[in-house]
Amino acid sequence: MAPKKNLKPKAPIQPVPEKRGYEFGGPLGAFGIVFGLPTLIYSFTFLCNDISGCPAPSLLSPSTLSLDQLKEEVGWPQDGLKAFFDARVTMWVLCYYLLSLILYVLLPGQEVEGTELACKGRLRYKFNAFPSAVLILAGLALGTFVYGADFAVWTFLWDNYLQVITANLVICTAIAVFVYAKSFSVPAPGQLNPELRQLAPGGHTGNVLYDFFIGRELNPRVQLPIPFVSEASRTIDIKVWCEMRPGLLGWIILNLSNIARQYRTYGYITDSIVISTSFQAFYVLDGLYMEPALLTTMDVLMDGFGYMLSFGDMVWVPFIYNFQTRYLAVFPLELGLKGILLVLAVTGVGYSIFRGANNQKNRFRTDPNDPRVKHIKYIQTKSGSKLMTSGWWGLARHINYLGDWLMSWSYSLPTGIAGYTIIESLNQSTGGVQKQAVQNPEVRGWGMIFTYFFMLYFGVLLIHREMRDEEKCKRKYGADWDRYTSLVRSRIIPGIY
């Protein structure tokens, strides 16, 4: 009798990791980003403020600018840098992270397999960011219903904004250090790799600062020692969890805090802050609802998880992206019907492109026989991949970036031609001094440096990401990519770029 064949699947073997060169300017660029971007966020907080104006008046008179005067105008704390950190604030921020983690573990969720890795295995993911967000927002809505604009969460975030930034900066740095240290336990090439761990192509250059910044391990994970829950529920994919949870929802929570601040100050809420917050909330909740689509993005497929993504997810996104509503909380601008229609039109076009293109790509990759994408024309590459040459992706190779950028306009446009000065006057009814934000010709437009920064930065980011993606695809597909680009000539904007 012939011996029975062993039908047990072979354990995955760690392949030789792919290697790429430096990006973002190499170690020097990494140094500038690691230390420069936090400084930029703090600078925004001080230079566009509710004490003297946006921008601080002295910035418009550089010939008479003095450090002492500037410190007074921006509300520089008397304790100096010591005031940036508060242990109590940090503990409350950690409680928010813990709540998000508990909801991930306990709430039911959709379990999905990721794309195939270099070791020929597939990781499993649990997705429930959307119901987690709805539950947290419902709790905040209940608190607001009971306490109004004086709800403790809203006053805490505004009154401790500087310390909340620092708390998130400390947390994201700690996570980046943890995953960097953990990455050195990834199995060596040729060894058994049952946990499907691997190094990111660009994250193992040997330069400590650069690798810490860019991320050494592609998909760092931790197993929580929690009994009575499924393996998927106690497995935390750190990159996916950070990208979809605390920072994204934190962005919307900060916006809601800004709305409460405007109401506490003026007794009403403007259409501008409502429409800006609404579109940003829709963007976030739509992304959380479509969470499985994250698995086909460059962040998950190619980028390691290091300081770059950790800082971007938990500090840059919430504290740069909420700045428009923070501005409007101090300067209550009314758009009127024409202004609202303009913002709606731009956003509608952007969303149609963004969601239509991403849905089409995700459906084509996961189920090419789906009736909604079965008609799509494509190029079959030697590597086995299919490159779409019709539909949204026949218009431009990164058409989704155009939609994403157009949607970002709706965050900044409601701030108008930004800029204001804080003036003090005597309150006739109370006899006290009251502050009021007014716009005069001297400051008009200068506030756009802060409120439109996101739109400019986001455009540069998308072009840079498109260039990285083009380089990756050229390396991966070779002659097939040349054939593809001869058919789909535009990069982002059809017929223009």
Side-chain angles (χ1 to χ4, degrees), residues 128-240:
N128 62 7
F130 182 76
S132 298
V134 169
L135 199 58
I136 292 174
L137 291 175
L140 294 172
L142 179 60
T144 306
F145 177 78
V146 175
Y147 299 102
D150 293 317
F151 181 40
V153 173
W154 308 142
T155 56
F156 173 85
L157 289 172
W158 186 274
D159 295 342
N160 301 281
Y161 189 76
L162 185 66
Q163 294 78 19
V164 173
I165 294 175
T166 305
N168 282 275
L169 183 59
V170 169
I171 293 169
C172 85
T173 304
I175 293 175
V177 170
F178 171 76
V179 295
Y180 177 78
K182 187 176 183 291
S183 69
F184 289 95
S185 62
V186 171
Q191 292 184 351
L192 293 178
N193 186 25
E195 295 180 339
L196 305 181
R197 300 177 64 191
Q198 62 186 68
L199 297 178
H204 51 104
T205 65
N207 183 282
V208 174
L209 176 61
Y210 180 81
D211 291 348
F212 166 76
F213 162 74
I214 206 75
R216 290 191 84 245
E217 189 169 355
L218 182 65
N219 41 38
R221 294 181 153 210
V222 291
Q223 287 272 352
L224 301 178
I226 302 176
F228 312 119
V229 296
S230 67
E231 182 177 353
S233 294
R234 62 175 179 267
T235 300
I236 310 299
D237 187 289
I238 298 175
K239 176 163 59 175
V240 171

Side-chain angles (χ1 to χ4, degrees), residues 85-400:
F85 177 80
D86 185 283
R88 180 185 64 90
V89 172
T90 302
M91 289 304 299
W92 280 116
V93 173
L94 282 170
C95 287
Y96 166 68
Y97 278 74
L98 181 60
L99 173 61
S100 182
L101 186 62
I102 290 172
L103 292 176
Y104 169 82
V105 173
L106 297 184
L107 289 181
Q110 179 185 8
E111 294 189 20
V112 178
E113 274 195 345
T115 57
E116 189 172 71
L117 300 169
C119 62
K120 305 304 179 185
R122 294 174 184 265
L123 293 169
R124 290 193 65 81
Y125 297 83
K126 176 184 174 182
F127 294 124
N128 62 7
F130 182 76
S132 298
V134 169
L135 199 58
I136 292 174
L137 291 175
L140 294 172
L142 179 60
T144 306
F145 177 78
V146 175
Y147 299 102
D150 293 317
F151 181 40
V153 173
W154 308 142
T155 56
F156 173 85
L157 289 172
W158 186 274
D159 295 342
N160 301 281
Y161 189 76
L162 185 66
Q163 294 78 19
V164 173
I165 294 175
T166 305
N168 282 275
L169 183 59
V170 169
I171 293 169
C172 85
T173 304
I175 293 175
V177 170
F178 171 76
V179 295
Y180 177 78
K182 187 176 183 291
S183 69
F184 289 95
S185 62
V186 171
Q191 292 184 351
L192 293 178
N193 186 25
E195 295 180 339
L196 305 181
R197 300 177 64 191
Q198 62 186 68
L199 297 178
H204 51 104
T205 65
N207 183 282
V208 174
L209 176 61
Y210 180 81
D211 291 348
F212 166 76
F213 162 74
I214 206 75
R216 290 191 84 245
E217 189 169 355
L218 182 65
N219 41 38
R221 294 181 153 210
V222 291
Q223 287 272 352
L224 301 178
I226 302 176
F228 312 119
V229 296
S230 67
E231 182 177 353
S233 294
R234 62 175 179 267
T235 300
I236 310 299
D237 187 289
I238 298 175
K239 176 163 59 175
V240 171
W241 189 85
C242 288
E243 184 144 347
M244 299 305 292
R245 287 176 181 269
L248 271 183
L249 185 58
W251 168 18
I252 304 309
I253 293 173
L254 287 169
N255 281 339
L256 296 175
S257 171
N258 296 337
I259 291 178
R261 167 66 179 188
Q262 187 185 76
Y263 187 83
R264 287 197 306 273
T265 304
Y266 298 100
Y268 60 87
I269 297 172
T270 59
D271 55 10
S272 58
I273 199 170
V274 169
I275 199 169
S276 184
T277 298
S278 297
F279 282 128
Q280 293 177 42
F282 180 78
Y283 177 85
V284 170
L285 293 175
D286 178 73
L288 298 181
Y289 184 77
M290 302 297 296
E291 192 178 12
L294 181 70
L295 298 182
T296 58
T297 62
M298 181 188 292
D299 287 354
V300 173
L301 294 176
M302 297 298 297
D303 291 338
F305 186 79
Y307 182 86
M308 179 182 73
L309 288 181
S310 182
F311 172 82
D313 293 341
M314 291 175 280
V315 182
W316 185 259
V317 165
F319 295 101
I320 285 293
Y321 290 18
N322 96 98
F323 211 83
Q324 294 84 9
T325 61
R326 187 170 175 83
Y327 168 89
L328 292 169
V330 181
F331 186 73
L333 176 68
E334 292 286 356
L335 294 176
L337 181 60
K338 290 183 179 179
I340 291 173
L341 290 177
L342 172 63
V343 177
L344 285 174
V346 173
T347 305
V349 172
Y351 180 76
S352 298
I353 298 172
F354 175 78
R355 182 48 61 202
N358 280 336
N359 281 349
Q360 192 175 78
K361 177 182 69 172
N362 192 51
R363 287 166 184 153
F364 186 79
R365 285 183 173 179
T366 54
D367 183 12
N369 294 318
D370 188 316
R372 291 168 291 186
V373 295
K374 196 173 182 179
H375 65 283
I376 296 293
K377 297 178 182 179
Y378 61 88
I379 288 176
Q380 181 71 55
T381 67
K382 294 178 182 178
S383 66
S385 301
K386 298 175 181 177
L387 302 176
M388 293 182 284
T389 58
S390 68
W392 284 110
W393 301 91
L395 298 175
R397 302 195 291 271
H398 308 277
I399 188 70
N400 58 324

